[in-house]
Amino acid sequence: MPTPDKTSVDAIVSAARDLLETESLAGLTMQAVARRVGVRAPSLYKRVEGRDHLVRLVAEATLTELASRLDAATTAAKVLDGYRTFSHEYPAAFQLCMGQGSSPSVAGHSYWEAASAAVIRISGELAGAEHALDAARTLTAWAVGFITIELNSGFNLGGDVDRAWKFGRTKIIESITLTRGRY
Amino acid sequence: MPTPDKTSVDAIVSAARDLLETESLAGLTMQAVARRVGVRAPSLYKRVEGRDHLVRLVAEATLTELASRLDAATTAAKVLDGYRTFSHEYPAAFQLCMGQGSSPSVAGHSYWEAASAAVIRISGELAGAEHALDAARTLTAWAVGFITIELNSGFNLGGDVDRAWKFGRTKIIESITLTRGRY
DNA sequence: ACCTGAACACCGTTCAAGT
DNA sequence: ACCTGAACACCGTTCAAGT
């Protein structure tokens, strides 16, 4: 005799994302997720393959949201700022995506592609099609590195972190723009 | 009646660093470390406060080694390459230091200071004392971001990753150098 | 067809008992 | 003074039994 469903994949992923931000990755346990969605831990295995799979779904949902955020940006500065703003809203999820992943990268290829599209588009405009990929990697590397260090309180030598962001953003965009037609 | 020591903090940290690289952070368990140093897990607590403390010691040993490596570099390109070479030798440890840390940053302030000294020195030479800190943060952010993405197989859109490194390195150094006296 | 309690293997950690 | 087995709390995961 069928039982009415008490939860769903969406509810589970949503609860997991909440827990990740409020309790850290270590606090994202199957039991905690189960409690949030009103079910016992073993029931989660009807919807997700296990904790690793659930973490992957969280990463992919995060990248999808990041992609749609970045797609709306019209200038390089706005794309870079989009990264940073997003990382401040979802610091743990952002680092999950970028950080020491589970084995084969924590999210599927297509999710990365979607999140990269905006940077590549902008990079092509700045540096020309020939150097679009190199330029995109330079921009992304700087933003990801800056944010990673910032989120881990790595900028602890004083000074104004916002000023450092603007300084770097200006320098990076400037140097990429100078690429057009040479290098 | 005293018993002769069967291990030491150094041996424990060394075993932990090995395990971190060969088995990943999850494989760095107290039992695995104990087995490597020829002791039972509870005995480790005579030398380290617990797993978190041991991981911290690993991070600090890693930063100390990175610092001495970078201190030998004489140009900005060599400092940046020093980061990357080091990260290829100790990928897991490098990401442990930079990545989503345990709570209050995974290593003590002084260890970060030591590892930052070389970049700040070089940045001062390139950009002038006034912008040394901003420039150092730009250089470090780019290198850390590039390496983080590289280690997590994030550069999966084809193209030559080494070429992208050299492209970005050139651009970054160039733009920082142009800073002198203006901005 | 979904949910659950009970069980298992595996963690980190504590501690009384050994030498 | 250091080491150990036993124990505890807490994970992820499996599965037979319920409805």
Side-chain angles (χ1 to χ4, degrees), chain B residues 140-157:
Chain B
T140 307
W142 172 75
V144 167
F146 192 101
I147 291 163
T148 299
I149 297 171
E150 181 181 25
L151 292 182
N152 289 290
S153 334
F155 291 133
N156 45 21
L157 264 47

Side-chain angles (χ1 to χ4, degrees), chain B residues 3 27 56 61 87 108 118 123:
Chain B
T3 305
R56 184 190 191 82
S87 79
S123 298

Side-chain angles (χ1 to χ4, degrees), chain A residues 2 6 18 54 59-62 75 86 93 106-107 114 127 160 170 172 175 183:
Chain A
K6 298 176 88 173
D18 274 3
L54 176 54
E60 293 177 345
T62 303
T75 68
F86 186 85
V106 79
D160 184 338
T170 302
I172 295 264
S175 73
Y183 175 71

Side-chain angles (χ1 to χ4, degrees), chain A residues 95 98-101 109 120 134 137-138 141 145-146 148 152 155-158 163 167 171-172 175 179 182-183, chain B residues 95 98-101 109 120 134 137 141 145-146 148 152 155-158 163 167-168 171-172 174-175 179 183:
Chain A
Q95 293 199 82
M98 307 300 170
Q100 69 251 34
H109 184 72
I120 291 177
D134 285 336
R137 285 170 172 171
T138 303
F146 192 100
T148 299
N152 290 289
F155 291 134
N156 45 22
L157 264 48
R163 197 185 82 142
F167 176 92
K171 290 292 154 195
I172 295 264
S175 73
T179 298
R182 43 185 216 101
Y183 175 71
Chain B
Q95 294 198 83
M98 306 301 168
Q100 68 253 34
H109 184 71
I120 292 177
D134 284 336
R137 284 170 172 171
F146 192 101
T148 299
N152 289 290
F155 291 133
N156 45 21
L157 264 47
R163 196 185 85 142
F167 176 92
K171 290 293 154 198
I172 294 265
E174 189 175 282
S175 73
T179 300
Y183 174 70

